[in-house]
Amino acid sequence: MKMRSILLSVLAIAVLAGCAKNNELPGDPDVNAREAVVTLRLKGNGSTRAAGVPDDLDTKNSTVNDLTVFFFDGDALVNKVYQATVTGSAVMDVKTTTSAKQAVVVANIGSDQTTTGIFASVTSRTTFMAATANLLKDGNPVQNDEKVYMSGEGTITYDATGKDGQVTIPLNFVAARIDLKVIDFSGAIGKGSVYGTHFSVASIYLMRAQRWTNFLPTGTGESLKYIAKNNRKFAGGVTWESTTTTVPTDYRVHEEYRVATIPGALTANKMENLGHWYVFDNNELDEPTVLVVKVNWKKDGTTDTPLFFNVTFNGNDQMRIRSGNTYTVNLKLNGNFKPGDGGGTGGGGEDDPDTPTVDAAVDITVTPATWTPNVINKEWN
């Protein structure tokens, strides 16, 4: 799936005006370069991650709260500037010099990280490409509905005088988003299964939510990645439940990656708008991100038997997790959850959350949007 660039023209259009000579900008590789002023037109404010899947989520995700701007001349860093924004439209000036040839923008870091923090060690483009961020900083989530990391870069074009230049920077989401829109139990209930008596949803969570990223990708097309395979780090909503695979090194458990409240009853045989999660790129076949629906089935009529209905983003069951994409998940459980002696089969669930489940029909469609959307319909019979 090709990641779609998001051109936020009102957010990241820079116009450089040649000014007086200034030799004091940090990292300036050309002491004879003239000072240049970059004008940024920005907007935005912050929020938290809402429960469920709000209707205005795409709009909120496009918010820009702050920018960190890096100016490069080849691999050399000219300077780096953090610019906080204000609510509503704003115009702000940041300084560089006319030796700057490329500009890189990172949005929504949340605070000035140029002297301490994520970008403190950035002294060149090479070291910028090595800078990383963690979805769980000090154990707390750093992404929310109006604070989603974005990044982009552009080449500065100067006019014939060499004094005035312009660069337009398209911003791309660094994260991906998984939306669990609906679990439909109509098929199971139509077979005589009774929700709350024969079966019930025990938990819904992510396992191997990829939480580590760089800020610009490498590769192109299907090979485009924001993190090297061996540098991935994972989190999940519950303590590792798989008995067939081992827990990844440095695995973090956080409530952010599970549905906090499971509905006690169904509405029209469904649960809807259950949750959404921000994750980083996991464009690999091994150690895939998995969305798990754990169901307790009273196989003997009394005792709960856990079964797992898994959406595995490994490129086989479902597409891999790639930055800039949303994955809207619609599930149907059509199997028989009556007790075993009454003909029940457990609805097609698996005994382990890390075993991909095979569904009868998968329908995936892609339509243009701010994010690149992927609709996943998964059905168990």
Side-chain angles (χ1 to χ4, degrees), residues 5 18 29 82 94 99-100 102 116 125 135-136 179 193 221 227 242 248 269 273 302 337 346 351 370 379:
S5 293
Y82 173 79
V94 294
S99 65
Q102 298 87 28
T116 60
R125 183 180 175 89
L135 267 177
L136 295 175
D179 300 341
S193 305
I227 193 72
S242 175
N269 297 332
N273 295 323
T302 303
F337 286 97
D351 295 330
T370 302
E379 189 167 344

Side-chain angles (χ1 to χ4, degrees), residues 61-347:
N61 288 166
S62 296
T63 300
V64 171
N65 303 288
D66 57 77
L67 293 181
T68 306
V69 186
F70 302 84
F71 295 101
F72 296 105
D73 181 4
D75 190 57
L77 176 70
V78 178
N79 66 309
K80 49 187 175 180
V81 181
Y82 173 79
Q83 181 64 62
T85 70
V86 296
T87 302
S89 298
V91 177
M92 288 148 288
D93 293 337
V94 294
K95 291 182 179 181
T96 186
T97 76
T98 55
S99 65
K101 302 299 189 296
Q102 298 87 28
V104 174
V105 171
V106 177
N108 294 334
I109 289 298
S111 62
D112 189 349
Q113 303 275 309
T114 58
T115 56
T116 60
I118 295 172
F119 301 124
S121 61
V122 172
T123 56
S124 63
R125 183 180 175 89
T126 298
T127 53
F128 171 81
M129 293 298 292
T132 56
N134 184 359
L135 267 177
L136 295 175
K137 182 181 179 182
D138 300 324
N140 298 309
V142 299
Q143 302 278 265
N144 60 52
D145 295 340
E146 293 183 18
K147 185 190 171 186
V148 181
Y149 288 169
M150 307 177 201
S151 67
E153 61 180 326
T155 299
I156 300 167
T157 302
Y158 291 94
D159 65 10
T161 68
K163 296 180 180 179
D164 298 324
Q166 183 169 328
V167 56
T168 299
I169 299 176
L171 296 178
N172 303 293
F173 288 111
V174 176
R177 197 184 78 213
I178 300 172
D179 300 341
L180 180 53
K181 290 288 288 185
V182 63
I183 307 177
D184 188 342
F185 301 93
S186 298
I189 291 171
K191 292 180 172 68
S193 305
V194 179
Y195 188 83
T197 299
H198 298 146
F199 73 106
S200 60
V201 174
S203 59
I204 301 170
Y205 63 91
L206 293 183
M207 61 185 293
R208 290 198 208 89
Q210 213 288 104
R211 61 181 177 86
W212 209 253
T213 192
N214 298 120
F215 289 95
L216 286 178
T218 59
T220 59
E222 295 297 320
S223 298
L224 187 144
K225 298 176 183 179
Y226 275 78
I227 193 72
K229 177 179 178 178
N230 293 335
N231 291 341
R232 293 173 297 166
K233 296 185 180 182
F234 300 103
V238 302
T239 302
W240 194 258
E241 292 192 301
S242 175
T243 59
T244 62
T245 55
T246 57
V247 59
T249 301
D250 203 18
Y251 194 73
R252 303 294 176 86
V253 177
H254 198 283
E255 62 184 7
E256 179 81 358
Y257 303 108
R258 63 178 179 264
V259 174
T261 303
I262 305 296
L266 305 181
T267 301
N269 297 332
K270 298 177 182 179
M271 294 179 180
E272 296 186 282
N273 295 323
L274 287 156
H276 66 282
W277 300 273
Y278 301 102
V279 296
F280 285 147
D281 186 282
N282 193 13
N283 188 16
E284 302 290 349
L285 178 62
D286 71 322
E287 297 190 293
T289 300
V290 184
L291 171 60
V292 178
V293 178
K294 182 180 180 180
V295 171
N296 284 335
W297 173 42
K298 296 189 184 300
K299 182 178 181 179
D300 62 2
T302 303
T303 307
D304 286 334
T305 298
L307 293 172
F308 299 90
F309 295 83
N310 309 319
V311 180
T312 305
F313 295 92
N314 62 355
N316 293 321
D317 177 26
Q318 303 299 331
M319 63 194 73
R320 302 171 189 177
I321 297 293
R322 301 184 64 204
S323 298
N325 284 257
T326 57
Y327 302 88
T328 300
V329 180
N330 303 306
L331 307 180
K332 288 186 177 182
L333 276 64
N334 298 324
N336 191 337
F337 286 97
K338 290 190 291 186
D341 60 7
T345 60

Side-chain angles (χ1 to χ4, degrees), residues 351-375:
D351 295 330
D352 192 276
D354 215 12
T355 301
T357 49
V358 179
D359 51 327
V362 178
D363 182 17
I364 301 172
T365 60
V366 178
T367 54
T370 302
W371 292 82
T372 298
N374 304 276
V375 179

